[in-house]
Amino acid sequence: MAGPTKSTIDSRGEQMFPALEPAEIERMRRFGEVRCYEAGEALSKVGEVNEGLIIILAGKVTVSRRDGAGRSEPIVTHLPGAFMGELAQLAGRPALVDAEALEKVEAVTIPPDRLRALLVAEAELGERIMRALILRRVGLLETGSGPVIVGRTGNGDVLRLDGFLRRNGHPRQTIDPEIDPEGRALIERFDVGPGQLPIVLCPGGELLRNPGENELARCLGLVRPIDPNRVYDVAIVGAGPAGLAAAVYAGSEGLSTLVLDCRAFGGQAGASARIENYLGFPTGITGIALMARAYNQAQKFGVEMAIPDEAVALEAVNDADGGRFRLRLANDECASARSVVLASGARYRRLAVENLDAFESTSVHYWASPLEGKLCSGQEVALVGAGNSAGQAVVYLASQVAKVWMLVRGGDLAASMSRYLVDRIAGLPNVEVLTRTEVTGLEGGDGMLEAVRWRQGASGQEMRRPIRHVFLFIGADPNTDWLAGSGVALDAKGFVLTGSEAGAGRRVLETGHPGVFAIGDVRSGSVKRVAASVGEGAQVVTALHAYLAAADPAATDRRPAIIAAQ
């Protein structure tokens, strides 16, 4: 029998907390400045933006994690040669840990912009630092640091908030007051009524009562106000594979970039349980892991991320700057750019069945992650769909649940699914594939699903199973409603036209509106695969350079671009 899984700090502690050699510290000094701290002075406080990466030259610093309930637990003590920081410091976001000088400390502090310069200029050293920053975030995710969500397990709003933080790679902890005395004590302490659950206790001490995702993100410092006077080089709307690829290449080539997304980075690819046909990963990789690497990589090159921030309108503004675009956001803010890349992807299609909306927050799911796997553990589930995403979800769920009923409208899985997935599903003993089958009804009450009905074959015989969770992978529609009035031409199905189809003289991936480009799933005629989206994200940067050079030939110092994600 296999032993318990080791934590990251136990298995990769040396990589999480490497000791720098004196020569390495000297190479890093030029990126920061020396500062002294007195014994007992805080170098970092949870919920506050600190000075960035801090290299200890002399003295001792203790680092501890603290959650919204006020509990504190030591993580590590830094000695001379160690450095303090994690991914929050790369983007200049509020700290997730407390740090205090145990004695007089001398240190080199490197602010976020200089830290990013260090990672690029000192490639080998930067790789070690970047790996440590990522592993430290992984460690915080494992230990449940960060905000505390208090609410009943399975509650739709609890699942919504937990899923939002999980998909944004943010540590969190969930407590069920019905089974956890500590949860009940917190409710009594803050005099929370039943209708106000769930509550979220933020590490900075704030209490939120059933917050929206934007409210929670701003409380945690995940998103900050956008400077309305700044004009970026490009606005890329969408933080899925296409948008993140464009961000990485644009940022690495010196274009000023901002990424907006109304929910989380990664798009639909981020919800894939395992991607096995992506180049360079022969053993497969989860969608969220692949997208998290791209997200961190984009930040390394100075790309700004504003998630969640939703673009609701695109306007062209002709002014003395040579013409530019304005993105209006749902929070009444605006972001300006010299060019725009549309990578807003698609929205999940909903099943055409009565009362679907009554179960969508608790029992109907559009992705299959460990969170959903835990909810369904040991149960029977139904999955509707027949594409690659559906196949990947079935393979994952089969390892978590008692049985998967795969309901397929067509007559053959191979018509819409990669061969390797078809063969794998055929070998799973707890998966039953029903072709020519359609869901006819959902039964339940108080938002909780109790049974699913479906009809199979020409006979029209209806079957009913006591199933509490349904997974929908039936495709998606283009997320282009927000482009109404922008002048961007769409095809009959609502996808964005580009190149020659958009008009004479249009560049590759350029829409009918000069300076506006489209990539990924939102583009008409695109190949709906992660690798294809990434390729278009890289390709569009060449077109951006050509457009920007033609629009402003005198400009030689381009900085990153805007990436807005829906």
mmCIF file of all heavy atoms in Angstrom, residues 55-83:
data_model
loop_
_atom_site.group_PDB
_atom_site.id
_atom_site.type_symbol
_atom_site.label_atom_id
_atom_site.label_comp_id
_atom_site.label_asym_id
_atom_site.label_seq_id
_atom_site.Cartn_x
_atom_site.Cartn_y
_atom_site.Cartn_z
ATOM 1 N N ILE A 55 16.068 39.740 -0.207
ATOM 2 C CA ILE A 55 17.206 38.833 -0.005
ATOM 3 C C ILE A 55 17.834 39.144 1.353
ATOM 4 O O ILE A 55 18.217 40.289 1.616
ATOM 5 C CB ILE A 55 18.255 39.014 -1.107
ATOM 6 C CG1 ILE A 55 17.599 38.880 -2.486
ATOM 7 C CG2 ILE A 55 19.380 37.997 -0.965
ATOM 8 C CD1 ILE A 55 18.497 39.327 -3.629
ATOM 9 N N ILE A 56 17.946 38.138 2.199
ATOM 10 C CA ILE A 56 18.493 38.335 3.544
ATOM 11 C C ILE A 56 20.021 38.323 3.476
ATOM 12 O O ILE A 56 20.635 37.330 3.076
ATOM 13 C CB ILE A 56 18.004 37.243 4.518
ATOM 14 C CG1 ILE A 56 16.477 37.073 4.418
ATOM 15 C CG2 ILE A 56 18.423 37.569 5.946
ATOM 16 C CD1 ILE A 56 15.704 38.336 4.700
ATOM 17 N N LEU A 57 20.627 39.436 3.902
ATOM 18 C CA LEU A 57 22.090 39.533 3.954
ATOM 19 C C LEU A 57 22.621 39.197 5.337
ATOM 20 O O LEU A 57 23.673 38.580 5.491
ATOM 21 C CB LEU A 57 22.541 40.944 3.561
ATOM 22 C CG LEU A 57 22.128 41.440 2.176
ATOM 23 C CD1 LEU A 57 22.617 42.871 1.973
ATOM 24 C CD2 LEU A 57 22.684 40.533 1.088
ATOM 25 N N ALA A 58 21.889 39.608 6.377
ATOM 26 C CA ALA A 58 22.286 39.349 7.754
ATOM 27 C C ALA A 58 21.032 39.324 8.625
ATOM 28 O O ALA A 58 20.068 40.036 8.350
ATOM 29 C CB ALA A 58 23.251 40.421 8.256
ATOM 30 N N GLY A 59 21.054 38.469 9.666
ATOM 31 C CA GLY A 59 19.920 38.375 10.568
ATOM 32 C C GLY A 59 19.006 37.198 10.252
ATOM 33 O O GLY A 59 19.324 36.351 9.399
ATOM 34 N N LYS A 60 17.855 37.137 10.951
ATOM 35 C CA LYS A 60 16.894 36.047 10.786
ATOM 36 C C LYS A 60 15.494 36.622 10.600
ATOM 37 O O LYS A 60 15.127 37.608 11.244
ATOM 38 C CB LYS A 60 16.896 35.119 11.997
ATOM 39 C CG LYS A 60 18.196 34.385 12.257
ATOM 40 C CD LYS A 60 18.067 33.499 13.500
ATOM 41 C CE LYS A 60 19.363 32.774 13.802
ATOM 42 N NZ LYS A 60 19.246 31.927 15.030
ATOM 43 N N VAL A 61 14.710 35.977 9.738
ATOM 44 C CA VAL A 61 13.329 36.385 9.482
ATOM 45 C C VAL A 61 12.437 35.153 9.555
ATOM 46 O O VAL A 61 12.737 34.129 8.914
ATOM 47 C CB VAL A 61 13.176 37.032 8.088
ATOM 48 C CG1 VAL A 61 11.707 37.356 7.805
ATOM 49 C CG2 VAL A 61 14.022 38.286 7.978
ATOM 50 N N THR A 62 11.360 35.226 10.336
ATOM 51 C CA THR A 62 10.413 34.119 10.404
ATOM 52 C C THR A 62 9.216 34.432 9.519
ATOM 53 O O THR A 62 8.693 35.551 9.521
ATOM 54 C CB THR A 62 9.940 33.860 11.848
ATOM 55 O OG1 THR A 62 9.031 32.751 11.846
ATOM 56 C CG2 THR A 62 9.223 35.064 12.433
ATOM 57 N N VAL A 63 8.814 33.456 8.734
ATOM 58 C CA VAL A 63 7.680 33.594 7.823
ATOM 59 C C VAL A 63 6.567 32.675 8.296
ATOM 60 O O VAL A 63 6.801 31.501 8.602
ATOM 61 C CB VAL A 63 8.081 33.223 6.374
ATOM 62 C CG1 VAL A 63 6.875 33.322 5.448
ATOM 63 C CG2 VAL A 63 9.202 34.128 5.886
ATOM 64 N N SER A 64 5.345 33.202 8.377
ATOM 65 C CA SER A 64 4.208 32.399 8.836
ATOM 66 C C SER A 64 2.986 32.690 7.975
ATOM 67 O O SER A 64 2.875 33.752 7.364
ATOM 68 C CB SER A 64 3.897 32.702 10.306
ATOM 69 O OG SER A 64 3.635 34.081 10.490
ATOM 70 N N ARG A 65 2.118 31.727 7.908
ATOM 71 C CA ARG A 65 0.874 31.915 7.169
ATOM 72 C C ARG A 65 -0.237 32.257 8.145
ATOM 73 O O ARG A 65 -0.237 31.820 9.297
ATOM 74 C CB ARG A 65 0.520 30.652 6.370
ATOM 75 C CG ARG A 65 0.164 29.432 7.206
ATOM 76 C CD ARG A 65 -0.130 28.238 6.315
ATOM 77 N NE ARG A 65 -0.610 27.081 7.076
ATOM 78 C CZ ARG A 65 -1.884 26.844 7.322
ATOM 79 N NH1 ARG A 65 -2.814 27.664 6.866
ATOM 80 N NH2 ARG A 65 -2.245 25.790 8.023
ATOM 81 N N ARG A 66 -1.204 33.047 7.689
ATOM 82 C CA ARG A 66 -2.335 33.440 8.533
ATOM 83 C C ARG A 66 -3.582 33.442 7.669
ATOM 84 O O ARG A 66 -3.576 33.952 6.549
ATOM 85 C CB ARG A 66 -2.082 34.828 9.117
ATOM 86 C CG ARG A 66 -3.272 35.455 9.808
ATOM 87 C CD ARG A 66 -2.857 36.614 10.687
ATOM 88 N NE ARG A 66 -2.021 37.580 10.006
ATOM 89 C CZ ARG A 66 -2.480 38.721 9.485
ATOM 90 N NH1 ARG A 66 -3.778 38.994 9.527
ATOM 91 N NH2 ARG A 66 -1.653 39.576 8.910
ATOM 92 N N ASP A 67 -4.667 32.853 8.184
ATOM 93 C CA ASP A 67 -5.901 32.836 7.413
ATOM 94 C C ASP A 67 -6.872 33.885 7.952
ATOM 95 O O ASP A 67 -6.576 34.626 8.896
ATOM 96 C CB ASP A 67 -6.545 31.442 7.413
ATOM 97 C CG ASP A 67 -6.864 30.939 8.829
ATOM 98 O OD1 ASP A 67 -7.116 31.780 9.721
ATOM 99 O OD2 ASP A 67 -6.881 29.717 9.036
ATOM 100 N N GLY A 68 -8.063 33.934 7.339
ATOM 101 C CA GLY A 68 -9.049 34.926 7.729
ATOM 102 C C GLY A 68 -9.574 34.749 9.128
ATOM 103 O O GLY A 68 -10.160 35.680 9.700
ATOM 104 N N ALA A 69 -9.394 33.569 9.712
ATOM 105 C CA ALA A 69 -9.852 33.328 11.079
ATOM 106 C C ALA A 69 -8.824 33.787 12.101
ATOM 107 O O ALA A 69 -9.040 33.643 13.310
ATOM 108 C CB ALA A 69 -10.143 31.838 11.269
ATOM 109 N N GLY A 70 -7.699 34.305 11.645
ATOM 110 C CA GLY A 70 -6.697 34.845 12.556
ATOM 111 C C GLY A 70 -5.666 33.853 13.035
ATOM 112 O O GLY A 70 -4.788 34.199 13.827
ATOM 113 N N ARG A 71 -5.736 32.614 12.562
ATOM 114 C CA ARG A 71 -4.768 31.605 12.984
ATOM 115 C C ARG A 71 -3.450 31.799 12.255
ATOM 116 O O ARG A 71 -3.421 32.086 11.072
ATOM 117 C CB ARG A 71 -5.312 30.206 12.720
ATOM 118 C CG ARG A 71 -6.548 29.868 13.528
ATOM 119 C CD ARG A 71 -7.185 28.586 13.034
ATOM 120 N NE ARG A 71 -7.576 28.693 11.642
ATOM 121 C CZ ARG A 71 -8.401 27.850 11.045
ATOM 122 N NH1 ARG A 71 -8.904 26.833 11.713
ATOM 123 N NH2 ARG A 71 -8.719 28.004 9.761
ATOM 124 N N SER A 72 -2.352 31.619 12.981
ATOM 125 C CA SER A 72 -1.024 31.800 12.403
ATOM 126 C C SER A 72 -0.197 30.538 12.628
ATOM 127 O O SER A 72 -0.292 29.907 13.686
ATOM 128 C CB SER A 72 -0.326 33.010 13.044
ATOM 129 O OG SER A 72 0.941 33.221 12.466
ATOM 130 N N GLU A 73 0.580 30.185 11.616
ATOM 131 C CA GLU A 73 1.407 28.974 11.697
ATOM 132 C C GLU A 73 2.732 29.232 10.993
ATOM 133 O O GLU A 73 2.741 29.698 9.855
ATOM 134 C CB GLU A 73 0.679 27.804 11.032
ATOM 135 C CG GLU A 73 1.448 26.499 11.077
ATOM 136 C CD GLU A 73 0.672 25.376 10.408
ATOM 137 O OE1 GLU A 73 -0.570 25.453 10.357
ATOM 138 O OE2 GLU A 73 1.327 24.436 9.919
ATOM 139 N N PRO A 74 3.863 28.959 11.650
ATOM 140 C CA PRO A 74 5.163 29.226 11.017
ATOM 141 C C PRO A 74 5.392 28.329 9.802
ATOM 142 O O PRO A 74 4.982 27.176 9.777
ATOM 143 C CB PRO A 74 6.166 28.934 12.129
ATOM 144 C CG PRO A 74 5.451 28.015 13.061
ATOM 145 C CD PRO A 74 4.012 28.403 13.009
ATOM 146 N N ILE A 75 6.047 28.881 8.798
ATOM 147 C CA ILE A 75 6.377 28.133 7.589
ATOM 148 C C ILE A 75 7.868 27.863 7.517
ATOM 149 O O ILE A 75 8.299 26.724 7.337
ATOM 150 C CB ILE A 75 5.938 28.918 6.329
ATOM 151 C CG1 ILE A 75 4.433 29.130 6.320
ATOM 152 C CG2 ILE A 75 6.373 28.167 5.067
ATOM 153 C CD1 ILE A 75 3.957 30.002 5.166
ATOM 154 N N VAL A 76 8.684 28.925 7.682
ATOM 155 C CA VAL A 76 10.126 28.786 7.536
ATOM 156 C C VAL A 76 10.813 29.955 8.227
ATOM 157 O O VAL A 76 10.211 31.020 8.405
ATOM 158 C CB VAL A 76 10.511 28.744 6.030
ATOM 159 C CG1 VAL A 76 10.219 30.077 5.359
ATOM 160 C CG2 VAL A 76 11.947 28.323 5.819
ATOM 161 N N THR A 77 12.060 29.749 8.616
ATOM 162 C CA THR A 77 12.899 30.837 9.125
ATOM 163 C C THR A 77 14.018 31.075 8.125
ATOM 164 O O THR A 77 14.784 30.166 7.810
ATOM 165 C CB THR A 77 13.495 30.498 10.500
ATOM 166 O OG1 THR A 77 12.433 30.341 11.447
ATOM 167 C CG2 THR A 77 14.413 31.619 10.965
ATOM 168 N N HIS A 78 14.084 32.300 7.603
ATOM 169 C CA HIS A 78 15.093 32.637 6.597
ATOM 170 C C HIS A 78 16.373 33.124 7.270
ATOM 171 O O HIS A 78 16.338 33.992 8.145
ATOM 172 C CB HIS A 78 14.579 33.733 5.666
ATOM 173 C CG HIS A 78 13.547 33.254 4.684
ATOM 174 N ND1 HIS A 78 13.706 32.113 3.938
ATOM 175 C CD2 HIS A 78 12.349 33.794 4.305
ATOM 176 C CE1 HIS A 78 12.662 31.954 3.141
ATOM 177 N NE2 HIS A 78 11.824 32.963 3.355
ATOM 178 N N LEU A 79 17.490 32.574 6.819
ATOM 179 C CA LEU A 79 18.814 32.965 7.293
ATOM 180 C C LEU A 79 19.539 33.698 6.159
ATOM 181 O O LEU A 79 19.039 33.756 5.028
ATOM 182 C CB LEU A 79 19.597 31.722 7.732
ATOM 183 C CG LEU A 79 18.951 30.866 8.829
ATOM 184 C CD1 LEU A 79 19.781 29.608 9.077
ATOM 185 C CD2 LEU A 79 18.772 31.667 10.106
ATOM 186 N N PRO A 80 20.716 34.256 6.418
ATOM 187 C CA PRO A 80 21.465 34.933 5.351
ATOM 188 C C PRO A 80 21.657 34.032 4.126
ATOM 189 O O PRO A 80 22.007 32.857 4.259
ATOM 190 C CB PRO A 80 22.799 35.265 6.016
ATOM 191 C CG PRO A 80 22.435 35.469 7.451
ATOM 192 C CD PRO A 80 21.385 34.428 7.736
ATOM 193 N N GLY A 81 21.400 34.589 2.964
ATOM 194 C CA GLY A 81 21.484 33.823 1.717
ATOM 195 C C GLY A 81 20.130 33.386 1.203
ATOM 196 O O GLY A 81 20.001 32.984 0.044
ATOM 197 N N ALA A 82 19.106 33.459 2.053
ATOM 198 C CA ALA A 82 17.750 33.098 1.631
ATOM 199 C C ALA A 82 17.051 34.326 1.051
ATOM 200 O O ALA A 82 17.478 35.460 1.259
ATOM 201 C CB ALA A 82 16.959 32.545 2.806
ATOM 202 N N PHE A 83 15.972 34.100 0.313
ATOM 203 C CA PHE A 83 15.166 35.222 -0.170
ATOM 204 C C PHE A 83 13.698 34.969 0.147
ATOM 205 O O PHE A 83 13.242 33.837 0.205
ATOM 206 C CB PHE A 83 15.375 35.473 -1.673
ATOM 207 C CG PHE A 83 15.013 34.317 -2.575
ATOM 208 C CD1 PHE A 83 13.721 34.159 -3.047
ATOM 209 C CD2 PHE A 83 15.988 33.405 -2.961
ATOM 210 C CE1 PHE A 83 13.391 33.102 -3.882
ATOM 211 C CE2 PHE A 83 15.673 32.348 -3.805
ATOM 212 C CZ PHE A 83 14.369 32.192 -4.262
#
